[in-house]
């Protein structure tokens, strides 16, 4: 086995390493990976040597032989392609010429007459050969070439190339090989020229690369591989770069492949030397006496040296894999200081920061950071270069450093945002909380990145004036409360103080302390709104109680007048008009009581889906044909406990409001759904605790509600409709009924895009003692209430008379007289009293012979509940009816536990009074 001396191996040009150096400096983690990938066993450590290239001496290919001559000590290229040199034969030309001369002489000797057919035949043969030759030349079958017909420049370049070049046919036979290839494979002659796959027989690692190259050649693809081959005894290993690409000049050449082979040993050695030097540099950086880390714009740590990892007790394996974030090593709001830089595009900015870092165990380490960030041409920040100095080290003899650490912790961890600004409001320095709260100002957004840019335009004047006063050296500057700019309502209280040193006021004119007051203002607004609603409710409830007494007297008097006049009487219609208006007034009073949550409710457990299905026909008539109604029922709705008539009143009020908001038509959607405790958070409604609810949503596509009046829509008598077209009690009634039921109501609206009211009713979980849910009545309560009442009245009208003694207790003298008159007209004996004390006296005078007590609730000296307690002590079986303009549950809590009584809400008619009396006495 032999090889060419080393000087015959071509030396490649040095490979420029500058690109690799820059990449390594920017991405150290990638360098580690590259080192692990490129540092093959033996690349940095000498291995045993073997032969550089192996020959297959037993190969004897059957191919035409051609001597490989030596020209100037260098082998000549081998070219067996059809474009190679072609040699002609002068003997063949002379033989053809003698044959033609002999034929002509023979034709002359045999005579002209007999030779004529032969001459014509010979000419025809020659003409046919000529025609076929022309066709062959035109089609390329025949070519007129010479030995020197190839382009001498191209041939010279390929023949003298430094890289070995070889061309193989589809069968793998060599059709061309340049001199460099012959030198590399140490070919003795033309018969010894082998294809590349035969050259590296016996090299397992190289064989895999050769297989991939052959496969690419067969598939018509380009491919490159770098392989390592062992050298001869005493020689180092060599690196070769192998390339292949298909040669597709003509149809027959589509499967020919061009191979090149180059020695890149020196290039690889230089690369490995560079990587080795970088490895040393990385090792020095890892074990430097200072910490170092790099964080990208997304807050992910891409590099952390071993020193800092040791201080913080973190695993280096987490770095670069997305497992370690900036928030994992910087506690609290400190991370905001490292991510809120402002700089011009292309600028490199460095800041010095005193912070606490956090160990994996939660302890803090005081450090000083030299934080450097380079910004790209688009202004986007790149990965940082951050040097970390540990300030916790020391023997405790440096009081200044200890004081600086204490101040740093106080400054960075205070719950108040602090910053220094110049006279224009530009921020010079800030603590971590300020950086988080006002990222827009620190990142250069808004008006030149000043603190004024984060304040709402209407409030900027106050803060600007305070900063100007501080710049002038004034003290006792009034605090400024301002709303922040941007989406959502946020409020901040600013306290501004002047810098004492006048020489520093050019760079830092004022100290600004900021305290967010959004939550406090929200609570204040909610409390003020609830106080206002409560006050209005108390006023409405009080007015309603007095009105009920007046209306009861009017309705009772009209009943007497109607019973005394015939329908043909001229004044009968006037009396009916009085009664109708009294009923309208009673309806308004009921709405006031609903808002003040003092009406009487008769809750029952029901399925809202069935209730809404029964109500849908009434809703379609109410909203008209121009508005489409879509009722969407949730699946498996939970039961709720509500007053069916009051719930229907809520839905009807919302539907009527939606209809009025869509004068040109639209769509009304009523939807029900279960809302679990976990789903409550997505609504982000304040004041509603997390629990299980049944949602009733009434949404329209109308004009919407402007933001400036959205907080007033539930107030009584507030209306945006024209005078005479609304009472302003519709939504206040909805609010009162929902609140009295224990639910919540919220509105989402945008002017011009529609409104959605969402009612959350608590899920009813029945106890063991409770009966099964009561199904709703077949017809809507509102639509069928009057018909049902008429049926009851007609049924009772046959016999509303009775016998017995009734004690009537009422503080309103006129109403007391009318009620007593009405009861006496139905056959009852009536005893009257003006309050609870008088009632006890009357009862004692008659010896307790009373069958029923009908009492008002609110009375002077002794009210109704107290009277009930006293009478039950003396007469436990005495029957009782309370009449009141307030809701039943408003006074029920003052009654003894288990106290039995009936209730009749004011105002009531004579028929309702006597019907309630007869029903109670017969029970």
């Amino acid at each position: 086995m032999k090889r060419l001396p080393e000087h015959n191996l071509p030396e490649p040009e040095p490979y420029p390493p500058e690109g690799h150096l820059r990449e390594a400096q920017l991405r150290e983690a990638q360098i580690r990976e590259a080192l692990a990938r490129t540092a093959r066993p033996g690349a940095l450590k000498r291995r045993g040597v073997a032969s550089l290239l192996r020959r297959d001496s037993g190969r004897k290919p059957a191919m035409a032989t051609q001597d490989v001559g030596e020209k100037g000590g260098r082998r000549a290229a081998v070219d067996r392609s059809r474009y190679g040199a072609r040699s002609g034969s002068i003997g063949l030309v002379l033989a053809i010429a003698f044959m033609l001369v002999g034929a002509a002489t023979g034709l002359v000797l045999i005579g002209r007459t007999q030779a004529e057919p032969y001459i014509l035949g010979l000419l025809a043969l020659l003409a046919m050969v000529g025609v076929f030759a022309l066709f062959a030349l035109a089609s390329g079958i025949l070519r007129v070439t010479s030995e020197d017909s190839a382009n001498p420049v191209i041939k010279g370049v390929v023949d003298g190339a430094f890289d070995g070049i070889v061309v193989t046919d589809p069968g793998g036979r060599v059709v061309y090989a340049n001199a460099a290839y012959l030198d590399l494979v140490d070919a003795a002659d033309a018969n010894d020229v082998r294809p590349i796959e035969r050259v590296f027989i016996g090299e397992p690692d190289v064989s895999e690369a050769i297989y991939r190259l052959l496969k690419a050649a067969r598939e018509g693809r380009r491919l490159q591989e770098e392989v390592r081959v062992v050298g001869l005894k005493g020689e180092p290993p060599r690196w070769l770069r192998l390339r292949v690409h298909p040669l597709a000049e003509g149809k027959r050449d589509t499967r020919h492949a061009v191979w090149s082979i180059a020695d890149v040993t020196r290039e690889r050695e230089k690369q490995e030397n560079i990587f080795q030097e970088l490895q040393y540099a990385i090792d020095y950086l890892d074990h430097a006496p200072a910490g170092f880390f790099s964080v990208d714009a997304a807050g992910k740590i891409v590099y952390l040296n071993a020193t800092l990892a040791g201080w913080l007790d973190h695993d280096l394996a987490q770095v670069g894999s997305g497992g370690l974030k900036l928030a994992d090593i910087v506690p609290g709001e400190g991370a905001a200081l490292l991510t809120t830089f402002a700089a011009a595009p292309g600028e490199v900015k460095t800041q010095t920061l005193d912070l606490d870092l956090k160990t994996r165990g939660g302890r803090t380490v005081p450090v000083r950071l030299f934080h450097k960030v380079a910004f790209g041409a688009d202004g986007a920040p790149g990965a940082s270069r951050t040097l970390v100095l540990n300030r916790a080290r020391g023997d405790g003899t440096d009081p200044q450093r200890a004081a600086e650490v204490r101040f740093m912790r106080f400054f960075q961890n205070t719950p108040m945002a602090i910053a220094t600004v110049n006279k224009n409001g530009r921020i010079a320095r800030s603590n971590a909380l300020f950086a988080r709260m006002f990222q827009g100002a620190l990142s250069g957004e808004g008006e030149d990145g000043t603190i004024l840019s984060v304040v709402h335009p209407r409030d900027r004047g106050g803060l600007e004036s305070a900063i100007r006063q501080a710049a002038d050296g004034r003290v006792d500057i009034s605090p400024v409360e301002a709303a922040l700019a941007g989406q959502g309502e946020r409020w901040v209280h600013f306290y501004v103080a002047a810098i004492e040193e006048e020489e520093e006021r050019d760079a830092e004119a004022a100290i600004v302390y900021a305290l967010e007051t959004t939550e406090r203002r929200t609570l204040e607004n909610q409390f003020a709104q609830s106080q206002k609603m409560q006050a209005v409710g108390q006023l409405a409830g009080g007015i309603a109680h007095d009105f009920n007494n007046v209306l009861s007297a009017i309705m009772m008097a009209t009943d007497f007048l109607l019973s005394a006049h015939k329908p043909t009487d001229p004044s009968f219609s006037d009396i009916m008009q009085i009664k109708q208006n009294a009923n309208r007034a009673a309806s308004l009073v009921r709405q006031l009581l609903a808002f003040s949550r003092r009406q009487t409710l008769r809750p029952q457990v029901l399925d809202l889906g069935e209730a809404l299905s029964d109500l849908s026909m009434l809703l379609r008539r109410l909203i008209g044909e121009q508005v489409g109604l879509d009722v969407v029922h949730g699946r498996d709705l939970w039961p709720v406990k509500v007053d069916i008539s009051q719930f229907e009143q809520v839905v009807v009020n919302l539907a009527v409001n939606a209809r009025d908001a869509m004068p040109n038509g639209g769509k009304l959607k009523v939807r029900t759904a279960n809302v679990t405790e976990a789903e409550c958070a997505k609504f982000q409604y304040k004041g509603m605790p997390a629990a299980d609810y049944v949602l009733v949503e009434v949404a329209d596509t109308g004009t919407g509600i402007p933001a400036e009046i959205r907080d007033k829509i539930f107030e009584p008598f507030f209306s945006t409709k024209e005078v005479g077209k609304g009472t302003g009690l519709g939504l206040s009634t909805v609010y009162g009924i929902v609140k009295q039921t224990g639910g919540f109501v919220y509105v989402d609206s945008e002017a011009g895009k529609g409104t959605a009211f969402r009612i959350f009713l608590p899920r009813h979980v029945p106890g063991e003692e409770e009966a099964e849910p009561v199904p709703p009545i077949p017809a809507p309560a509102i639509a069928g209430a009057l018909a049902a009442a008429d049926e009851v009245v007609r049924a009772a009208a046959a016999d509303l008379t009775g016998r017995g003694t009734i004690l009537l207790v009422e503080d309103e003298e006129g109403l007391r007289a009318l009620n007593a008159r009405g009861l006496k007209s139905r056959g009852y004996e009536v005893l009257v009293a003006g309050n609870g004390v008088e009632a006890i006296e009357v009862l004692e005078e008659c010896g307790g012979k009373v069958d029923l007590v009908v009492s008002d609730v609110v009375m002077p000296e002794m009210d109704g509940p107290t009277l009930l307690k006293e009478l039950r002590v003396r007469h436990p079986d005495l029957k009782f009816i309370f009449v009141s303009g307030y809701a039943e549950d408003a006074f029920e809590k003052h009654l003894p536990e288990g106290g039995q009584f009936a209730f009749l809400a004011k105002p009531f008619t004579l028929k309702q009074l006597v019907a309630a009396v007869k029903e109670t006495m017969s029970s």
Side-chain angles (χ1 to χ4, degrees):
M1 184 178 296
K2 64 179 181 177
R3 68 178 181 85
L4 204 66
E6 174 135 352
H7 66 271
N8 286 329
L9 291 174
E11 299 289 346
E13 293 298 323
Y15 184 79
E18 289 78 1
H20 293 268
L21 283 172
R22 286 194 297 271
E23 181 178 359
Q25 292 170 350
L26 293 175
R27 295 285 184 182
E28 187 275 341
Q30 297 179 2
I31 294 171
R32 288 175 177 270
E33 184 179 353
L35 283 171
R37 187 170 60 249
T38 57
R40 305 281 193 266
L44 302 178
K45 179 172 79 170
R46 300 299 183 185
R47 294 179 52 189
V49 295
S51 59
L52 171 63
L53 300 173
R54 302 181 183 277
R55 291 181 52 195
D56 184 7
S57 59
R59 178 178 180 273
K60 299 294 181 181
M63 58 177 65
T65 61
Q66 177 179 347
D67 293 335
V68 181
E70 295 287 346
K71 297 182 180 179
R74 184 177 179 86
R75 293 178 174 86
V78 175
D79 189 355
R80 297 192 181 97
S81 68
R82 65 184 181 183
Y83 304 111
R86 290 180 169 84
S87 58
S89 176
I90 189 62
L92 181 60
V93 175
L94 293 175
I96 294 174
F98 281 127
M99 289 175 60
L100 292 175
V101 172
T105 303
L107 291 174
V108 172
L109 293 176
I110 63 175
R112 181 176 180 181
T113 303
Q114 295 179 349
E116 186 174 351
Y118 295 102
I119 294 173
L120 293 176
L122 181 60
L123 291 175
L125 178 62
L126 292 175
M128 184 172 58
V129 171
V131 170
F132 277 110
L134 291 175
F135 275 109
L137 288 172
S139 61
I141 299 175
L142 295 178
R143 295 190 181 185
V144 180
T145 60
S146 64
E147 185 173 356
D148 299 327
S149 60
N151 189 323
V153 176
I154 297 178
K155 182 173 176 58
V157 170
V158 177
D159 288 347
F162 285 103
D163 294 347
I165 300 175
V166 61
V167 181
T168 60
D169 63 10
R173 293 181 296 272
V174 176
V175 297
Y176 173 81
N178 71 348
Y181 182 78
L182 299 179
D183 290 342
L184 284 170
V185 301
D186 197 14
D189 52 28
N191 293 330
D192 200 23
V193 179
R194 293 158 294 160
I196 288 181
E197 65 268 21
R198 300 286 293 173
V199 172
F200 294 101
I201 291 177
E203 294 283 347
D205 295 338
V206 181
S207 298
E208 295 179 4
I210 295 296
Y211 171 76
R212 292 191 293 268
L213 291 167
L214 287 171
K215 183 179 179 182
R218 287 194 299 270
E219 295 174 354
R221 294 185 293 107
R222 294 172 177 262
L223 189 64
Q224 172 181 307
E225 296 277 352
E226 289 189 6
V227 296
R228 180 177 177 273
V229 296
V230 296
L232 293 176
K233 186 174 182 180
E235 295 289 339
R238 311 290 289 177
W239 283 91
L240 301 178
R241 180 181 293 134
L242 306 178
R243 293 190 179 98
V244 65
H245 67 88
L247 184 64
E249 180 179 324
K251 185 175 181 180
R252 293 184 180 181
D253 296 326
T254 54
R255 302 299 295 274
H256 281 62
V258 179
W259 298 73
S260 65
I261 178 171
D263 189 337
V264 293
T265 304
R266 290 183 59 189
E267 178 183 329
R268 292 299 293 255
E269 288 177 351
K270 289 181 179 180
Q271 291 180 8
E272 289 175 359
N273 289 337
I274 292 170
F275 286 133
Q276 187 67 37
E277 292 175 359
L278 289 175
Q279 179 64 40
Y280 292 149
I282 292 168
D283 188 63
Y284 297 149
L285 183 61
D286 264 348
H287 299 91
F292 184 84
F293 71 88
S294 178
V295 59
D296 62 15
K300 183 171 64 176
I301 294 178
V302 296
Y303 174 73
L304 187 79
N305 74 341
T307 301
L308 185 57
W311 292 348
L312 304 180
D313 193 25
H314 278 291
D315 186 4
L316 283 175
Q318 295 180 313
V319 181
S321 61
L324 198 61
K325 302 288 193 303
L326 184 62
D328 296 329
I329 67 171
V330 182
E333 313 292 347
L337 287 173
L338 304 178
T339 56
T340 53
F341 269 53
E347 185 181 354
V348 178
K349 191 169 184 179
T350 303
Q351 274 194 342
T352 303
L353 303 170
D354 287 333
L355 288 175
D356 273 339
L357 296 186
K358 179 176 62 176
T359 67
R360 187 167 58 175
R363 295 182 295 106
T364 57
V365 178
V367 297
R368 174 164 291 175
L369 305 181
F370 297 90
H371 188 61
K372 182 177 182 180
V373 179
F375 291 79
D378 58 349
S384 74
R385 305 289 185 269
T386 307
L387 181 66
V388 184
L389 300 182
N390 192 336
R391 309 201 73 195
R393 294 186 171 187
D395 54 4
T397 59
D398 188 354
Q400 181 178 355
R401 182 166 67 176
E404 289 177 353
V405 170
R406 285 196 298 270
F407 175 77
M408 176 271 297
R409 286 178 169 168
F410 165 76
F411 181 67
Q412 299 294 355
N413 299 323
T414 179
M416 179 174 283
I418 306 173
T420 58
V421 299
N422 65 6
K423 60 182 180 180
N424 296 321
R426 180 172 293 278
I427 299 167
R429 288 183 291 179
S430 70
N431 68 347
L433 181 59
F434 193 96
R436 182 187 64 80
M437 288 179 58
F438 307 107
Q439 292 186 14
L442 290 173
S443 60
E445 301 174 2
E447 297 180 355
D448 300 326
T450 66
I451 193 174
L452 300 175
S453 64
V454 302
V455 178
H456 196 280
R458 69 170 181 267
D459 297 329
R460 287 177 186 171
L463 181 59
E464 187 176 9
S465 174
I467 294 175
R468 190 164 52 248
Q469 292 177 42
D472 294 337
R474 294 184 57 183
V475 295
D476 297 332
I477 302 173
S478 300
V480 177
E481 188 164 22
L484 298 184
Q487 297 182 350
E489 187 175 359
R490 292 177 58 197
W491 291 83
V492 172
H493 218 73
F494 291 101
Y495 301 88
V496 182
I499 299 291
E500 294 183 1
E501 294 79 5
E502 295 185 5
E503 61 274 8
E504 296 182 2
R505 288 181 185 169
D506 292 336
E508 296 177 335
I511 304 175
V512 178
Y513 305 88
L515 184 65
E516 186 165 1
T517 58
T518 303
E519 186 175 357
R520 190 194 72 188
R521 284 184 64 95
T522 301
L523 291 175
E524 289 176 352
N525 292 337
Q526 290 178 351
F527 180 75
Q529 180 70 10
S530 65
Q531 290 290 97
K532 181 176 67 174
M533 299 292 275
Q534 183 179 357
V536 174
Q538 289 177 349
L539 175 62
I543 293 174
H545 175 263
D546 293 338
F547 264 76
N548 278 330
N549 286 333
V550 175
L551 290 173
S552 294
I554 294 174
M555 294 171 69
M556 189 71 68
T558 55
D559 284 341
F560 287 132
L561 290 173
L562 288 173
S563 62
H565 291 74
K566 296 180 180 180
T568 57
D569 195 307
S571 60
F572 188 85
S573 59
D574 296 331
I575 300 172
M576 285 298 299
Q577 186 69 28
I578 295 172
K579 184 173 183 178
Q580 291 174 2
N581 282 283
N583 288 332
R584 287 185 59 192
S587 176
L588 291 176
V589 170
R590 281 194 297 272
Q591 294 186 55
L592 285 174
L593 287 173
F595 168 73
S596 62
R597 287 171 265 172
R598 296 184 180 182
Q599 63 178 343
T600 300
L601 297 182
R602 301 296 182 189
Q604 62 185 37
V605 180
L606 53 84
D607 183 349
L608 286 184
E610 296 180 8
L612 285 175
S613 297
D614 296 334
L615 190 63
S616 59
M617 293 300 297
L618 176 62
L619 293 179
R620 293 185 193 279
R621 290 196 298 268
L622 286 174
I623 62 178
E625 297 180 355
Q626 286 187 316
V627 178
L629 177 63
D630 184 14
V631 180
V632 181
H633 299 290
R635 297 184 58 183
D636 302 324
L637 286 180
W638 295 321
V640 295
K641 192 171 184 179
V642 298
D643 186 319
I644 179 64
S645 63
Q646 298 296 330
F647 170 73
E648 290 174 347
Q649 182 68 56
V650 166
V651 177
V652 167
N653 286 3
L654 293 178
V656 171
N657 271 14
R659 178 201 64 191
D660 295 340
M662 297 182 286
N664 298 322
K667 184 176 181 181
L668 175 64
K669 183 176 182 180
V670 181
R671 182 177 69 92
T672 60
N674 292 332
V675 178
T676 64
E677 182 177 352
E679 293 173 343
C680 286
K682 74 177 184 179
F683 289 100
Q684 298 180 349
Y685 289 136
K686 297 179 181 179
M688 184 176 71
D692 292 338
Y693 298 95
V694 177
L695 168 67
V696 182
E697 182 180 273
V698 181
D700 63 63
T701 58
T703 56
I705 303 174
E708 58 270 15
I709 66 171
R710 203 172 300 156
D711 295 335
K712 302 178 181 179
I713 59 174
F714 293 120
E715 296 179 5
F717 306 111
F718 177 81
S719 177
T720 57
K721 300 177 183 178
E722 297 179 8
V723 177
K725 292 188 177 182
T727 62
L729 291 173
L731 291 179
S732 62
T733 302
V734 171
Y735 178 85
I737 293 174
V738 173
K739 285 293 184 181
Q740 191 172 359
T741 308
F744 302 89
V745 57
Y746 298 97
V747 60
D748 290 326
S749 181
E750 187 174 349
K753 294 186 178 181
T755 303
F757 285 90
R758 294 186 178 90
I759 300 171
F760 296 87
L761 299 176
R763 176 186 181 181
H764 176 70
V765 180
E768 296 181 357
E769 70 282 357
E770 293 189 44
E772 292 296 322
V774 178
I777 58 179
I782 294 177
L786 293 177
D790 290 342
E791 291 179 4
V792 173
V793 170
R794 283 195 299 268
D799 186 13
L800 291 179
T801 62
R803 293 186 179 277
T805 303
I806 299 175
L807 175 58
L808 180 62
V809 187
E810 172 63 56
D811 61 329
E812 291 285 341
E813 184 176 355
L815 183 59
R816 182 174 65 241
L818 288 171
N819 289 340
R821 177 183 170 187
L823 292 173
K824 289 178 180 179
S825 67
R826 295 301 185 265
Y828 296 102
E829 182 180 349
V830 181
L831 304 176
V832 295
N835 53 54
V837 175
E838 293 181 8
I840 294 175
E841 293 175 355
V842 171
L843 190 62
E844 290 177 350
E845 290 176 0
C846 67
K849 297 178 180 180
V850 173
D851 300 307
L852 175 68
V853 177
V854 179
S855 173
D856 194 5
V857 174
V858 181
M859 295 179 295
E861 296 190 37
M862 181 183 290
D863 59 9
T866 306
L867 175 63
L868 176 62
K869 295 177 185 178
E870 295 292 334
L871 294 182
R872 283 287 163 83
V873 173
R874 296 176 173 84
H875 306 281
D877 298 329
L878 185 61
K879 296 178 181 179
F880 223 93
I881 296 178
F882 278 121
V883 293
S884 177
Y886 290 115
E888 178 181 344
D889 55 2
F891 61 87
E892 189 175 9
K893 59 185 178 181
H894 301 293
L895 297 175
E897 186 176 355
Q900 299 295 322
F901 63 91
F903 181 79
L904 181 62
K906 294 180 180 180
F908 49 80
T909 63
L910 175 61
K911 290 182 179 180
Q912 291 172 331
L913 174 61
V914 296
V917 167
K918 185 168 186 177
E919 181 182 358
T920 305
M921 293 185 67
S922 61
S923 61

